[in-house]
Amino acid sequence: MINIKKTYTEYWNNFSEKPKNFIGTSVFLKKLKKSLNKFLGFKISIRVNKNKPQKDEAYVSYPIEKVIKKHRSSLIVNEIYSFLELSNLKYNKSEVEGYVDEFDYVFGKSPIKEHESGFGYNEGVFFYTLLKIINPEIVIVSGVMKGFTTYLIDAATHNDCKIFIYDINFENNMFNSKKATYVNIDITNKIPLIKKKTVALWDDHTSQMDRLKFLQKYHIQYNFFDDDLSFLNIHSDGWPPIPTISALQDIKKGRLAPKH
Ligand SMILES: C[S@@+](CC[C@H](N)C(=O)[O-])C[C@H]1O[C@@H](n2cnc3c(N)ncnc32)[C@H](O)[C@@H]1O
């Protein structure tokens, strides 16, 4: 077992106890925060929620000031706008801002608070907002794990939306949606109902090229691919869905083409 050394400084606390010889830190911290607040013109603090195991840091240590959250939301909204400008989707700017704010609340209420191997805040806010804009009749998910993405789909879609959840292993699933049908085999063995406004989330670490062929064959209109890694970062995933869309694009454009 690896023994992780716990550290504590005036800037960093990896949830260890304050060392006994750490005299004067709180006074120093208070002074530092006071001058920073004065300099920035708004309050800065981080809420640290101790003694809550099995939670990602996003739920344990997070910014609380409205001004910081507002600034973060406006940056997220801009990112989403730049994506939307390249799409054919119709959207209303103030609605997008509302969805991004709404997501922050939805994220905080998530029944899954440990996101290892799954979507985190940033993928979540993007996916949630786009689902709200598309307002689908059907959502297909291939790769559910603990169910965080199911939770987001359940929260973002209207009551009549039908969700088809595929996984070859439901043992880790912690969230069940009343709108969902659960299918314990690969999607190629049982084709779901597909309508005009169907969204598919491909997060099953299975060849994205095969999934691309599948969605073309069955005319799935809106598709989200997670883990779409290029050759440059393909090593960052233990089980990348190769060939990924980005790798296929790299090859098509003659970038990083494998030598024969
Ligand atoms: C990265 S996790 C999904 C995370 C989830 N979408 C989230 O963000 O909360 C990958 C999941 O894909 C599943 N999986 C692997 N092969 C699959 C296949 N052929 N069809 C469907 N699911 C598969 C695994 O069992 C695992 O639960």
Side-chain angles (χ1 to χ4, degrees), residues 245-260:
I245 310 281
S246 291
L248 292 171
Q249 283 171 335
D250 282 345
I251 294 171
K252 199 173 167 205
K253 289 180 183 159
R255 287 194 307 247
L256 297 169
K259 291 194 176 74
H260 297 288

Side-chain angles (χ1 to χ4, degrees), residues 112 115-120 141-150 166-170 172 183 185-187 201-206 211 226-227 239:
I112 292 122
H115 294 260
E116 205 190 333
S117 320
F119 271 36
V141 184
S142 189
V144 64
M145 188 71 113
K146 293 184 184 163
F148 178 63
T149 42
T150 318
Y166 287 83
D167 204 302
I168 50 167
N169 176 11
F170 282 119
N172 299 307
V183 191
I185 41 175
D186 189 273
I187 193 164
L201 169 63
W202 304 103
D203 191 9
D204 51 21
H205 293 249
T206 299
R211 296 317 194 195
D226 195 34
D227 307 302
W239 203 259

Side-chain angles (χ1 to χ4, degrees), residues 6-251:
K6 294 188 170 179
T7 48
Y8 186 97
T9 80
E10 58 267 38
Y11 305 108
W12 163 257
N13 178 0
N14 78 338
F15 315 121
S16 62
E17 287 301 313
K18 216 188 283 191
K20 285 200 176 72
N21 60 0
F22 213 86
I23 306 161
T25 306
S26 60
V27 179
F28 173 76
L29 246 183
K30 272 183 196 156
K31 278 189 182 166
L32 179 81
K33 269 167 71 177
K34 212 172 157 185
S35 48
L36 255 179
N37 293 344
K38 213 170 150 189
F39 173 71
L40 293 170
F42 52 80
K43 224 177 100 217
I44 271 211
S45 64
I46 296 282
R47 176 166 294 162
V48 177
N49 230 333
K50 289 187 190 175
N51 309 323
K52 297 261 170 76
Q54 305 298 320
K55 282 190 179 184
D56 275 11
E57 287 189 0
Y59 298 100
V60 179
S61 157
Y62 48 88
I64 52 169
E65 276 76 30
K66 281 192 182 139
V67 67
I68 301 267
K69 291 177 82 166
K70 207 171 157 204
H71 184 56
R72 179 186 61 179
S73 295
S74 74
L75 292 174
I76 293 172
V77 166
N78 286 344
E79 286 290 322
I80 297 177
Y81 283 160
S82 17
F83 173 84
L84 285 170
E85 273 168 24
L86 302 172
S87 78
N88 297 326
L89 292 169
K90 294 202 175 25
Y91 61 98
N92 169 316
K93 283 199 169 187
S94 65
E95 261 174 22
V96 174
E97 286 164 15
Y99 298 150
V100 168
D101 286 345
E102 195 177 290
F103 172 81
D104 196 56
Y105 175 81
V106 170
F107 183 82
K109 292 274 167 207
S110 169
I112 292 122
K113 292 207 162 26
E114 206 285 302
H115 294 260
E116 205 190 333
S117 320
F119 271 36
Y121 192 99
N122 287 354
E123 296 98 334
V125 70
F126 181 82
F127 186 49
Y128 182 86
T129 307
L130 280 245
L131 278 175
K132 282 286 204 182
I133 293 170
I134 297 167
N135 190 23
E137 300 168 89
I138 292 180
V139 182
I140 300 163
V141 184
S142 189
V144 64
M145 188 71 113
K146 293 184 184 163
F148 178 63
T149 42
T150 318
Y151 165 70
L152 291 186
I153 297 160
D154 184 85
T157 54
H158 57 78
N159 285 345
D160 296 331
C161 176
K162 298 214 169 354
I163 307 173
F164 292 92
I165 310 276
Y166 287 83
D167 204 302
I168 50 167
N169 176 11
F170 282 119
E171 273 173 31
N172 299 307
N173 186 37
M174 293 162 67
F175 175 82
N176 288 311
S177 165
K178 290 199 175 105
K179 302 178 204 171
T181 304
Y182 288 81
V183 191
N184 197 195
I185 41 175
D186 189 273
I187 193 164
T188 50
N189 296 316
K190 193 164 192 246
I191 314 299
L193 179 67
I194 293 164
K195 289 191 180 174
K196 197 162 174 257
K197 272 216 281 184
T198 295
V199 166
L201 169 63
W202 304 103
D203 191 9
D204 51 21
H205 293 249
T206 299
S207 158
Q208 293 189 342
M209 187 170 78
D210 288 352
R211 296 317 194 195
L212 199 59
K213 287 181 184 164
F214 181 90
L215 73 91
Q216 283 172 335
K217 183 172 177 191
Y218 293 100
H219 307 287
I220 302 176
Q221 198 180 357
Y222 304 98
N223 293 274
F224 292 78
F225 282 90
D226 195 34
D227 307 302
D228 176 19
L229 303 161
S230 82
F231 282 116
L232 287 171
N233 52 5
I234 218 151
H235 55 273
S236 66
D237 195 306
W239 203 259
I242 47 175
T244 59
I245 310 281
S246 291
L248 292 171
Q249 283 171 335
D250 282 345
I251 294 171

